[in-house]
Amino acid sequence: MSLRIGSTAPDFTAETTQGTLHFHEWIGDGWCILFSHPKDFTPVCTTELGYMAKLKPEFDKRDTNIIGLSVDPVDNHQAWSKDIEETQGAAPNYPMIGDDRLEVAKLYDMLPEDLEGNAEGRTPADNATVRSVFIIGPDKKVKAMLTYPMTSGRNFDEVLRLLDSIQLTAAHTLATPVNWRPGEDLIIPPSVSDEEARQKYPQGFTTLKPYLRTVKSPV
């Protein structure tokens, strides 16, 4: 299946480093970051997994579960975890899905649905497209997707910033401008009339153009 923003995130049951997991049930009423890797014991992903472990408390504050996936069995993940802790100063403190049968990678449109075989004998280059980030909301809908090449480390500070934007705009009828950071001014969407905006934001707003109006952050 093709996944797009607004699609329902496919549900699945999988073995992880923290036991058997039923994905939608595990997400519960919170948010989720699913981030995938083409193979265990790969250099760039090693740095990412360690950094994500350090950043996990920030996601916890935002009621967001994080979960990794790699196209290898769980036993390999556990061995890799020792290398990650040794080199990055933190081991994964979140579940890592063992996707050695490529089932989740196919469900999430990262590998072709008709691809045959399993992870055995496959190289990172074979799985290069399994390198995505999915932000999933409490309604189990995909809110954002990011895909990176193997040679470029992902910016998980940006993923956190993007999550802040999505959570804020989900709670308020607002949008975030370029390079927005929490606490900065926001944009009133064109779907909100000036009259509605005056009611919503009695403190006032700034009109730069009829379609570009800014307002102080409500939070």
Side-chain angles (χ1 to χ4, degrees):
M1 62 176 290
S2 294
L3 277 187
R4 297 178 177 84
I5 291 175
S7 298
T8 297
D11 196 13
F12 58 85
T13 300
E15 293 304 313
T16 80
T17 52
Q18 296 183 8
T20 303
L21 180 145
H22 307 286
F23 189 52
H24 280 194
E25 180 182 314
W26 176 79
I27 294 174
D29 296 326
W31 293 71
C32 174
I33 305 287
L34 168 64
F35 63 113
S36 60
H37 309 81
K39 199 77 177 165
D40 289 3
F41 304 103
T42 50
V44 176
C45 294
T46 296
T47 66
E48 294 176 338
L49 289 166
Y51 190 78
M52 200 60 151
K54 296 174 182 176
L55 203 56
K56 184 177 181 295
E58 292 300 322
F59 288 102
D60 291 342
K61 290 176 188 175
R62 292 156 174 82
D63 193 24
T64 299
N65 293 315
I66 58 177
I67 185 166
L69 174 150
S70 188
V71 182
D72 267 319
V74 168
D75 287 349
N76 286 29
H77 295 354
Q78 291 168 336
W80 188 20
S81 177
K82 296 174 184 176
D83 287 0
I84 295 166
E85 183 171 23
E86 179 186 344
T87 62
Q88 307 303 310
N93 48 9
Y94 44 83
M96 283 287 295
I97 298 164
D99 195 30
D100 52 313
R101 290 183 292 182
L102 315 179
E103 293 174 342
V104 182
K106 292 177 184 179
L107 268 181
Y108 278 75
D109 199 29
M110 295 183 284
L111 287 173
E113 192 174 356
D114 58 358
L115 182 71
E116 296 181 356
N118 56 30
E120 188 175 353
R122 292 180 65 84
T123 68
D126 296 330
N127 304 328
T129 51
V130 188
R131 202 143 187 285
S132 294
V133 179
F134 299 89
I135 297 181
I136 300 164
D139 57 0
K140 313 304 184 289
K141 303 286 187 183
V142 175
K143 305 301 181 182
M145 299 183 292
L146 304 166
T147 301
Y148 289 69
M150 287 194 299
T151 51
S152 298
R154 286 171 278 195
N155 185 335
F156 287 116
D157 291 332
E158 164 59 13
V159 173
L160 189 65
R161 188 199 74 90
L162 176 58
L163 175 66
D164 282 337
S165 170
I166 292 170
Q167 289 187 335
L168 188 148
T169 57
H172 303 274
T173 311
L174 292 166
T176 56
V178 63
N179 296 333
W180 171 85
R181 293 285 177 184
E184 295 179 350
D185 288 359
L186 297 146
I187 289 172
I188 301 172
S191 59
V192 177
S193 69
D194 281 349
E195 182 178 349
E196 291 171 321
R198 282 189 285 270
Q199 293 174 354
K200 281 178 173 288
Y201 311 110
Q203 75 274 26
F205 55 90
T206 300
T207 300
L208 302 173
K209 292 288 182 182
Y211 59 85
L212 180 55
R213 297 163 296 169
T214 62
V215 66
K216 297 294 182 185
S217 176
V219 295

